[in-house]
């Protein structure tokens, strides 16, 4: 069974093949109306379940549209409406879903839920975000960087803010795609040590620098995300804002990166918290390409999972 659960647990050669395929898929489609089917219909007669236990705009729409453009059909399911949200086990849900659909994408809270789904499903499972990682987002980000600036290998990527789930998958990508990574943020919100060690074991630099101005020196790409994630308690909001304010990505910070550095944010953004509007709407920002590339990258991920 070919699941797409995380970037660090997927072979480097497969990740590279998916990014290259995503680029070809995007180019082959060209600029046709959104409802036009792709020329290739690899998901013809396939049914895909999209399960959301948390809100989503991009993941929901890009997976749904991607499946349709590839000739398949989707069931978009909210966790609360399934028996899963009312006591049925993840394992039993996985067994039942596998009798009805050819592929499962799940956005959930605990990573254990994703792993249990994958263990008991007899169809591929894709991670659409957990509290701990967000691999589909980072596949789109690698595609976006390379579209604009060429190979990401050997570049310096800086994350400013909370060392969260998106940050974790970016660190995994540093190891797998061969780029250097620097985290800048307050110590209580450091990314997990395990992820930093993973990247270092792959032979890339994975550093922490508390001073954001120093951290972004020589950066090819600056990335941030919300200061409060969906799984974080709202009670942490004020404390986090106070801790993270010095790590806002603004024009002064971007001016210290390389002149051709790009800015990325997985979105949704909280303008003038983690990033100013001047940066988000400015010439270095590629956030809208990044959002669109979820579609193309995930088509490649789904095709890889299904071997089609
Ligand atoms: N970036 C991202 O995953 O967005 P959604 O939460 O809207 O799916
Ligand atoms: N870190 C954010 C990402 C949203 C796409 C969250 O988990 O809420």
């Amino acid at each position: 069974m070919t699941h797409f659960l995380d970037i660090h647990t997927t072979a480097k050669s497969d990740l590279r093949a998916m990014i290259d395929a995503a680029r070809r898929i995007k180019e082959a489609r060209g600029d046709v109306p959104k409802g036009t089917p792709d020329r290739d219909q690899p998901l013809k007669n396939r049914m895909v379940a999209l399960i959301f236990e948390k809100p989503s705009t991009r993941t929901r729409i890009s997976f749904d549209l991607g499946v349709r453009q590839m000739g398949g059909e989707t069931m978009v399911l909210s966790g609360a409406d399934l028996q899963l949200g009312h006591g049925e086990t993840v394992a039993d849900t996985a067994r039942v879903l596998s009798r009805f659909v050819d592929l499962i994408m799940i956005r959930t809270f605990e990573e254990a839920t994703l792993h249990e789904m994958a263990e008991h499903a007899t169809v591929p499972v894709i991670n659409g975000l957990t509290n701990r990682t967000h691999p589909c987002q980072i596949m789109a980000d690698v595609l976006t960087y390379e579209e604009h600036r060429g190979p990401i290998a050997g570049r310096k990527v800086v994350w400013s803010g909370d060392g969260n789930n998106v940050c974790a998958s970016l660190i995994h990508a540093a190891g797998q795609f061969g780029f250097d990574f620097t985290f800048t943020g307050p110590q209580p919100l450091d990314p997990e040590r395990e992820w930093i060690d993973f990247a270092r074991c792959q032979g890339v630099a994975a550093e922490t620098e508390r001073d954001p101005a120093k951290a972004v020196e020589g950066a090819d790409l600056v990335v941030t995300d919300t200061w409060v994630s969906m799984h974080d308690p709202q009670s942490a909001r004020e404390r986090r804002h106070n801790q993270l304010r010095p790590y806002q990505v603004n024009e002064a910070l971007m001016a210290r990166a390389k002149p051709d550095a790009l800015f990325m944010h997985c979105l949704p953004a909280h303008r003038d918290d983690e990033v100013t509007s001047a940066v988000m709407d400015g010439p270095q920002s590629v956030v809208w390409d990044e959002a669109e590339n979820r579609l193309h990258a995930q088509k490649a991920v789904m095709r890889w999972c299904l071997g089609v």
Side-chain angles (χ1 to χ4, degrees):
M1 198 55 53
T2 311
H3 301 302
F4 185 70
L5 302 182
D6 270 312
I7 288 181
H8 65 305
T9 53
T10 303
K12 287 187 173 83
S13 54
D14 287 339
L15 293 166
R16 173 43 58 195
M18 281 187 257
I19 295 294
D20 295 345
R23 199 161 176 162
R24 286 195 300 273
I25 289 166
K26 183 173 180 178
E27 277 166 14
R29 186 169 171 82
D31 194 16
V32 293
K34 315 290 185 288
T36 312
D38 286 350
R39 246 174 311 206
D40 284 351
Q41 294 284 281
L43 264 62
K44 191 166 163 38
N45 300 328
R46 307 279 182 135
M47 181 60 77
V48 180
L50 306 175
I51 305 173
F52 290 93
E53 295 197 289
K54 289 174 176 168
S56 167
T57 296
R58 281 141 289 267
T59 306
R60 182 190 309 269
I61 295 170
S62 57
F63 267 104
D64 197 346
L65 183 62
V67 172
R68 292 184 203 203
Q69 288 182 346
M70 293 195 293
E73 296 202 39
T74 57
M75 293 176 187
V76 184
L77 307 164
S78 113
D81 295 337
L82 296 173
Q83 297 290 10
L84 178 64
H86 302 276
E88 188 164 21
T89 67
V90 177
D92 290 349
T93 305
R95 293 180 182 110
V96 170
L97 278 176
S98 300
R99 300 292 177 102
F100 294 129
V101 304
D102 302 291
L103 179 64
I104 300 167
M105 191 288 310
I106 181 165
R107 165 169 289 194
T108 188
F109 289 86
E110 298 306 323
E111 190 178 48
T113 305
L114 171 77
H115 288 283
E116 206 176 331
M117 184 70 78
E119 187 183 336
H120 297 282
T122 55
V123 299
V125 173
I126 296 175
N127 177 357
L129 179 146
T130 70
N131 294 358
R132 226 170 156 215
T133 61
H134 195 4
C136 289
Q137 178 65 54
I138 297 303
M139 293 298 280
D141 293 3
V142 171
L143 174 64
T144 307
Y145 185 86
E146 295 200 336
E147 260 179 7
H148 283 269
R149 295 283 186 267
I152 198 164
R155 306 293 183 150
K156 177 178 173 182
V157 177
V158 177
W159 178 278
S160 185
D162 176 22
N164 65 13
N165 46 3
V166 180
C167 177
S169 290
L170 185 62
I171 299 170
H172 296 155
Q176 300 292 59
F177 289 97
F179 56 86
D180 291 336
F181 174 84
T182 299
F183 171 79
T184 186
Q187 186 270 328
L189 300 176
D190 274 353
E192 292 179 49
R193 184 77 216 178
E194 188 183 329
W195 305 148
I196 296 285
D197 290 344
F198 168 80
R200 287 185 180 161
C201 281
Q202 310 308 309
V204 297
E207 310 297 343
T208 297
E209 168 54 63
R210 299 283 166 222
D211 179 349
K214 275 195 197 148
V216 299
E217 273 170 23
D220 296 289
L221 170 63
V222 179
V223 192
T224 192
D225 185 16
T226 181
W227 288 343
V228 187
S229 285
M230 292 182 273
H231 60 275
D232 289 322
Q234 279 305 311
S235 56
R237 194 182 154 78
E238 195 182 331
R239 188 177 67 248
R240 279 172 168 256
H241 276 238
N242 291 333
Q243 289 171 314
L244 286 159
R245 204 159 284 123
Y247 297 95
Q248 181 190 67
V249 180
N250 50 36
E251 285 175 301
L253 191 69
M254 286 304 293
R256 302 188 77 102
K258 280 191 182 162
D260 68 343
L262 297 177
F263 169 75
M264 288 193 195
H265 189 312
C266 64
L267 308 179
H270 303 79
R271 286 169 179 263
D272 301 319
D273 284 345
E274 71 270 10
V275 59
T276 58
S277 285
V279 170
M280 221 174 108
D281 301 328
Q284 289 167 288
S285 170
V286 289
V287 298
W288 314 122
D289 292 339
E290 208 186 336
E292 181 193 326
N293 281 337
R294 295 292 302 277
L295 172 70
H296 311 295
Q298 288 158 190
K299 280 182 179 172
V301 170
M302 288 190 273
R303 291 185 74 156
W304 176 77
C305 285
L306 290 167
V308 293

